[in-house]
Amino acid sequence: MFVSFRSVLVGVVIGLGLVGAPFAWAASTVSCHCFRDRSFDPARPAAADTYVLATSRNSLLAAAFGVSKGTVVRSLMTGTAPEALWAAHGLAARTGLRADDLLTAHGQAGSWARALERLGYDPARVGGRVGELVRAGQDPAPAVVDETLATRMGVPRDQIAALRAAGASDAETVAASVLGRLTGKEPVGFLKKVRAGEATWGSLFHDAGVAPSDIDDAIARLLR
């Protein structure tokens, strides 16, 4: 039976709880955040990896900063980069400004330092590695991710540093760190297994007893 692309997309949007959102933006940005494979299949162990990585990163953002997962997904599907979301929420938590205002100002100003200035906040007041990157005109998102993992999930900083030294992306750093907390093993070992073709992100979570659909809850339980 023929199933139209529009029908498939509507199903995805419904599954994400976005029925009330205008269909036009979902159709125009379908490549952003619609995943065909959302469960682990031993016959195709890597099929859900893209979803596993994305949902790990997005679930941590939502839980750590007190926003709904639906809000995060809507922002991504309307074209906001994951890095921009992380930076905005990280800076909002440090400054008391609103993440939405920071995103808007960043789009207008072109840098996070100028965005803060537009909103009347001195970038020099942002401390730590995040502040250093903002003032240097660099992307603060990785530092926000790392700080969130260290302070909210209790991941040792040396383990996070090992992941970054091995070239882990933000999403890989989150997924490996979650696996490390769930299993008590070194996170970088999971990254190395995936890179070596010895495992997939889906198989690693499966072996840890966590289905892709349960990653949200697993992360919420790990936060403190």
Side-chain angles (χ1 to χ4, degrees), residues 1 37 57 69 78 120 140 154 162 196 222:
M1 179 179 67
D37 296 291
R57 179 193 62 208
K69 185 75 171 294
T78 52
L222 291 173

PDB file of all heavy atoms in Angstrom, residues 1 37 57 69 78 120 140 154 162 196 222:
ATOM      1  N   MET A   1       0.842  -1.194   0.000  1.00  0.00           N
ATOM      2  CA  MET A   1       0.000   0.000   0.000  1.00  0.00           C
ATOM      3  C   MET A   1       0.877   1.244   0.000  1.00  0.00           C
ATOM      4  O   MET A   1       1.848   1.330   0.747  1.00  0.00           O
ATOM      5  CB  MET A   1      -0.902   0.006   1.238  1.00  0.00           C
ATOM      6  CG  MET A   1      -1.810   1.242   1.326  1.00  0.00           C
ATOM      7  SD  MET A   1      -2.872   1.188   2.788  1.00  0.00           S
ATOM      8  CE  MET A   1      -1.675   1.357   4.085  1.00  0.00           C
ATOM      9  N   ASP A  37      14.081   5.534  12.485  1.00  0.00           N
ATOM     10  CA  ASP A  37      14.329   4.411  13.401  1.00  0.00           C
ATOM     11  C   ASP A  37      14.481   4.930  14.817  1.00  0.00           C
ATOM     12  O   ASP A  37      15.410   5.680  15.120  1.00  0.00           O
ATOM     13  CB  ASP A  37      15.595   3.663  12.970  1.00  0.00           C
ATOM     14  CG  ASP A  37      15.449   3.024  11.598  1.00  0.00           C
ATOM     15  OD1 ASP A  37      14.671   2.063  11.487  1.00  0.00           O
ATOM     16  OD2 ASP A  37      16.102   3.506  10.652  1.00  0.00           O
ATOM     17  N   ARG A  57      21.287  13.906  23.907  1.00  0.00           N
ATOM     18  CA  ARG A  57      21.668  15.314  24.020  1.00  0.00           C
ATOM     19  C   ARG A  57      20.464  16.188  24.380  1.00  0.00           C
ATOM     20  O   ARG A  57      20.528  17.042  25.271  1.00  0.00           O
ATOM     21  CB  ARG A  57      22.262  15.773  22.697  1.00  0.00           C
ATOM     22  CG  ARG A  57      22.694  17.231  22.636  1.00  0.00           C
ATOM     23  CD  ARG A  57      22.969  17.626  21.197  1.00  0.00           C
ATOM     24  NE  ARG A  57      21.747  17.493  20.388  1.00  0.00           N
ATOM     25  CZ  ARG A  57      21.729  17.235  19.078  1.00  0.00           C
ATOM     26  NH1 ARG A  57      22.860  17.063  18.422  1.00  0.00           N
ATOM     27  NH2 ARG A  57      20.584  17.145  18.431  1.00  0.00           N
ATOM     28  N   LYS A  69      10.715  18.643  26.665  1.00  0.00           N
ATOM     29  CA  LYS A  69      11.361  18.040  25.504  1.00  0.00           C
ATOM     30  C   LYS A  69      10.688  18.531  24.220  1.00  0.00           C
ATOM     31  O   LYS A  69      11.355  18.751  23.204  1.00  0.00           O
ATOM     32  CB  LYS A  69      11.248  16.513  25.605  1.00  0.00           C
ATOM     33  CG  LYS A  69      11.991  15.742  24.514  1.00  0.00           C
ATOM     34  CD  LYS A  69      13.475  15.736  24.733  1.00  0.00           C
ATOM     35  CE  LYS A  69      14.160  14.782  23.745  1.00  0.00           C
ATOM     36  NZ  LYS A  69      13.810  13.369  23.976  1.00  0.00           N
ATOM     37  N   THR A  78      12.510  24.067  13.865  1.00  0.00           N
ATOM     38  CA  THR A  78      12.346  25.363  13.215  1.00  0.00           C
ATOM     39  C   THR A  78      13.693  25.968  12.828  1.00  0.00           C
ATOM     40  O   THR A  78      13.759  27.125  12.411  1.00  0.00           O
ATOM     41  CB  THR A  78      11.575  26.344  14.118  1.00  0.00           C
ATOM     42  OG1 THR A  78      12.178  26.396  15.407  1.00  0.00           O
ATOM     43  CG2 THR A  78      10.131  25.914  14.264  1.00  0.00           C
ATOM     44  N   GLY A 120      21.963  44.176  27.744  1.00  0.00           N
ATOM     45  CA  GLY A 120      22.381  44.944  28.912  1.00  0.00           C
ATOM     46  C   GLY A 120      23.201  44.171  29.917  1.00  0.00           C
ATOM     47  O   GLY A 120      23.263  44.561  31.098  1.00  0.00           O
ATOM     48  N   PRO A 140      30.421  28.516  22.973  1.00  0.00           N
ATOM     49  CA  PRO A 140      30.485  28.052  24.359  1.00  0.00           C
ATOM     50  C   PRO A 140      29.718  26.765  24.618  1.00  0.00           C
ATOM     51  O   PRO A 140      29.760  26.231  25.726  1.00  0.00           O
ATOM     52  CB  PRO A 140      29.853  29.211  25.133  1.00  0.00           C
ATOM     53  CG  PRO A 140      28.835  29.757  24.184  1.00  0.00           C
ATOM     54  CD  PRO A 140      29.438  29.607  22.806  1.00  0.00           C
ATOM     55  N   GLY A 154      27.230  14.438  37.781  1.00  0.00           N
ATOM     56  CA  GLY A 154      28.319  13.895  38.578  1.00  0.00           C
ATOM     57  C   GLY A 154      29.357  13.120  37.793  1.00  0.00           C
ATOM     58  O   GLY A 154      30.045  12.255  38.337  1.00  0.00           O
ATOM     59  N   ALA A 162      38.673  13.173  28.739  1.00  0.00           N
ATOM     60  CA  ALA A 162      39.143  12.054  27.917  1.00  0.00           C
ATOM     61  C   ALA A 162      38.268  11.887  26.684  1.00  0.00           C
ATOM     62  O   ALA A 162      38.773  11.585  25.588  1.00  0.00           O
ATOM     63  CB  ALA A 162      39.150  10.764  28.746  1.00  0.00           C
ATOM     64  N   ALA A 196      35.566   1.832  16.756  1.00  0.00           N
ATOM     65  CA  ALA A 196      36.244   0.641  16.246  1.00  0.00           C
ATOM     66  C   ALA A 196      35.289  -0.318  15.538  1.00  0.00           C
ATOM     67  O   ALA A 196      35.719  -1.335  15.004  1.00  0.00           O
ATOM     68  CB  ALA A 196      36.953  -0.090  17.378  1.00  0.00           C
ATOM     69  N   LEU A 222      19.392  10.249  36.669  1.00  0.00           N
ATOM     70  CA  LEU A 222      20.813  10.455  36.951  1.00  0.00           C
ATOM     71  C   LEU A 222      21.126  11.868  37.409  1.00  0.00           C
ATOM     72  O   LEU A 222      22.167  12.111  38.023  1.00  0.00           O
ATOM     73  CB  LEU A 222      21.642  10.137  35.706  1.00  0.00           C
ATOM     74  CG  LEU A 222      21.710   8.672  35.270  1.00  0.00           C
ATOM     75  CD1 LEU A 222      22.415   8.550  33.930  1.00  0.00           C
ATOM     76  CD2 LEU A 222      22.417   7.827  36.321  1.00  0.00           C
TER      77      LEU A 222
END
